[in-house]
Amino acid sequence: MKDLIRRAAKDLLASKRVVALTGAGISVESGIPPFRGHGGIWERVDPMVFGHIDTFARDPGKVWRVLIRDLKDIIDHAAPNDGHKGLARLEAMGLLSAVITQNVDGLHQAAGSRDVLEFHGSCAWQRCMDCGEKVRTRDVDIAALPPRCPCGGVFRPDWVFFGEAIPAAALQRSRQLARGCDLMLVVGTSAIVHPAAAMPMMARDAGAIIIEINPGRTPLTGAVSDYLIKGGAGMVMNALIAELETLTL
Ligand code: OAD
């Protein structure tokens, strides 16, 4: 692992446009469960039912009770971990241009990352389905579900449900970043949900180095990524930052 950390630090220093693609795994050490695997959200909730816009449109109160209320509670109280902080530090060191995240928890921004593209939207904000008013999720009164805007409309998370399109601007900029980077860090994603999972392939096809940080293998491993640094995001990012500081001193 030490060799791979050194290799990644050297690759980062030799690169000019570095982009990170992150997934639920980077927030696991902040106490937010991933979607898949042991203890994952989709183990207890069927994504094609409760993660789908059609179900929300039919019965928003039920989706709030089964899925969103718990997530709101976890996200309201979560704080960034060393994985998020490490990426923010890379940006501050001038070694990372942007983060494309599939996460909806707002923890990259809380850690200090400035250029964050929320590919699947955000659960830190709610949007009124009638008037479009946006409010912070932590300020929404959930005594009655679904919560409602003063105009009477239902509040929905400002995220992308299954059955909805990725916001055009986010999709376009992510593609630009993927095609234009010379190194992509892929952190804590199972890399199976498209179109986000296509970003590493796009970057690789444009000639970028792809480095995965994940405790387990993914479909990218050995196929799209150049190498996998096996481990939790916090531990790996701490080791990487320490190595970069040694090399640049
Ligand atoms: P997943 O839950 O599919 O995958 C989480 C990944 O994180 C797995 O590859 C784990 O091995 C890894 N992991 C676990 N602990 C980790 C740690 N401490 N550090 C680093 N990695 C760790 O999450 P995503 O790939 O983000 O979409 O899922 C993609 C999309 O599927 C989500 O954005 C969501 C979901 O359905 C929508 O809701 C539209």
Side-chain angles (χ1 to χ4, degrees), residues 22-26 28-29 34-37 42 47 102-103 120 160-162 187-193 213-218 231-234:
T22 66
I26 198 169
V28 163
E29 290 159 52
F35 292 97
R36 297 173 182 79
W42 298 151
Q102 296 164 86
N103 298 348
H120 290 158
V160 177
F161 279 102
F162 283 106
V187 191
T189 175
S190 58
I192 56 175
V193 175
I213 298 173
N214 199 309
R217 295 173 64 85
T218 76

Side-chain angles (χ1 to χ4, degrees), residues 156-196:
R156 57 155 289 169
D158 197 25
W159 69 27
V160 177
F161 279 102
F162 283 106
E164 293 188 303
I166 305 296
L171 189 57
Q172 194 190 355
R173 174 131 197 268
S174 300
R175 286 181 173 149
Q176 273 169 0
L177 288 167
R179 289 195 186 114
C181 69
D182 52 6
L183 190 155
M184 182 176 274
L185 289 173
V186 182
V187 191
T189 175
S190 58
I192 56 175
V193 175
H194 282 263

